[in-house]
Amino acid sequence: MQGTEHDRIDRLQQTLRRKRIDALLVTQPHNRRYLSGYTAPDHGIQESSGVLLIPAAGRPYLLTDSRFTLQAEAEAPLFQIDRYDKGLLKLLDKLAAALDFHTLAFESDYLLHSTYLRLVDMAEKRGLTLKAQSGLIESMRAIKSDTEQHLLRASTRLNEKVFQSVFNTIEPGMTEREIALALDLTMREMGAESPSFDTIVAFGTNAARPHAVPTDRELQTGDLVLIDMGLIYQGYCSDMTRTFVVGKPDQTFVDRHRLVRRAMLAGIDQIRAGVTGAAVDRAARQVLHEGGYGTFFGHGLGHGVGMAVHEAPRLSPRYRKKLQAGMVVTVEPGIYLADWGGIRLENMVIVGEQGCEILNEDTTYLDL
């Protein structure tokens, strides 16, 4: 993907020149991978595997430590790899002097306050002007290229394949935790890098928690099962939710399931370039409201998916920005009742000029 990354860096450098910024410090892990191809993970915001320094012109830098130098050199050939043995700030100070930077931007949404204070101290001593920036790279990531769309399709297909493999083994007596572990293991066996988030498996009343954590609760015949799962394939995430019953579902479940399905289709029907995320959310929410369950749907309808499983844009009552062709979003309405359980159905779609492309082929929600 070197050509792709070269184009991304070029676009970003044009933006920096337009904003009169000499260099940008990139600390957000997904932004780092998007621009460089460097895949080393961070073990939390306090332990970085490296940062990027993108000058407004010329070759960019990947700054890391001895643990990751060889990996950085192999994965990021477009970058000058510099190792910091005495701390990142000392190396930044040295590069600022050598490259004659006067203005340094940083990602204000992803920088520890303690790091920021040290950066301020370095900047004052060096005579640098710091500029907080937000969304420079995220706005680029929101519109997926043809290559990215292909990878998101592949990630979704693999996610469905994993689901079907484990779905066929589910039976009474299994625990939520056992099913979640089986899904995670099968993902890796089938070629995924990892889950894209902590897999959710919830039985019965546990499914009333939208982000339920799998427990040792055992599955009983007649229980509803909610599975929310996703994986990372070649750097790109998938996200899918299915809800079903082990055994014969009663009419209450059937009616509620069909209502959520209608809400999903109503949202999908609204998706196209130029429509706001709020309008899409409203279309789905209205179906649930008319069905008598509007107050039992508390979260937004969906979110962008790419290198991160949650990224721009959003489908929610507060998201007034317009969708653009090439964005990829989830559509995931749900209803949650504490004394009964929950139902959520989730597909991913690519926004087009006249409508959208549904990425999912799995049809288990059509069983009802």
Side-chain angles (χ1 to χ4, degrees), residues 37-80:
Y38 175 57
T39 65
D42 289 355
H43 299 292
I45 194 172
Q46 291 180 309
E47 189 175 347
S48 172
S49 63
V51 304
L52 306 182
L53 183 66
I54 313 293
R59 191 178 184 186
Y61 292 78
L62 196 166
L63 314 179
T64 187
D65 62 46
S66 60
R67 297 172 299 170
F68 303 103
T69 306
L70 293 177
Q71 181 177 354
E73 290 173 346
E75 294 182 338
L78 298 178
F79 283 69
Q80 170 68 43

Side-chain angles (χ1 to χ4, degrees), residues 287-324:
V287 172
L288 297 179
H289 176 74
E290 292 173 355
Y293 290 92
T295 58
F296 299 100
F297 176 41
H299 58 75
L301 181 66
H303 54 82
V305 182
M307 282 191 163
V309 76
H310 292 111
E311 58 182 50
R314 293 290 191 270
L315 305 181
S316 81
R318 297 184 299 276
Y319 197 86
R320 305 296 176 181
K321 295 180 181 179
K322 293 180 179 180
L323 301 179
Q324 300 178 57

Side-chain angles (χ1 to χ4, degrees), residues 231-308:
L231 55 82
I232 302 174
Y233 175 73
Q234 293 188 22
Y236 284 82
C237 298
S238 48
D239 190 359
M240 177 182 81
T241 307
R242 297 290 181 259
T243 310
F244 54 91
V245 168
V246 173
K248 184 177 180 180
D250 61 23
Q251 195 59 44
T252 297
F253 179 87
V254 171
D255 291 344
R256 289 170 174 171
H257 195 279
R258 286 175 174 166
L259 179 66
V260 174
R261 174 68 176 149
R262 291 199 299 273
M264 171 193 271
L265 292 174
I268 289 173
D269 186 61
Q270 291 296 309
I271 295 176
R272 59 183 51 81
V275 175
T276 66
V280 177
D281 179 279
R282 185 165 56 250
R285 202 171 294 275
Q286 183 65 24
V287 172
L288 297 179
H289 176 74
E290 292 173 355
Y293 290 92
T295 58
F296 299 100
F297 176 41
H299 58 75
L301 181 66
H303 54 82
V305 182
M307 282 191 163

Side-chain angles (χ1 to χ4, degrees), residues 203-209 224 226 243 256 296 335-343:
F203 303 158
T205 53
N206 286 353
R209 306 171 184 176
L224 69 84
L226 186 152
T243 310
R256 289 170 174 171
F296 299 100
I335 56 175
Y336 309 94
L337 298 97
D339 61 351
W340 180 80
I343 296 173

Side-chain angles (χ1 to χ4, degrees), residues 167-193:
F167 175 76
N168 292 330
T169 70
I170 294 174
E171 59 184 10
M174 298 179 73
T175 68
E176 294 171 340
R177 198 188 311 272
E178 285 173 337
I179 296 173
L181 288 171
L183 289 165
D184 291 352
L185 177 61
T186 305
M187 288 177 192
R188 294 180 185 274
E189 288 177 340
M190 290 188 173
E193 293 179 26

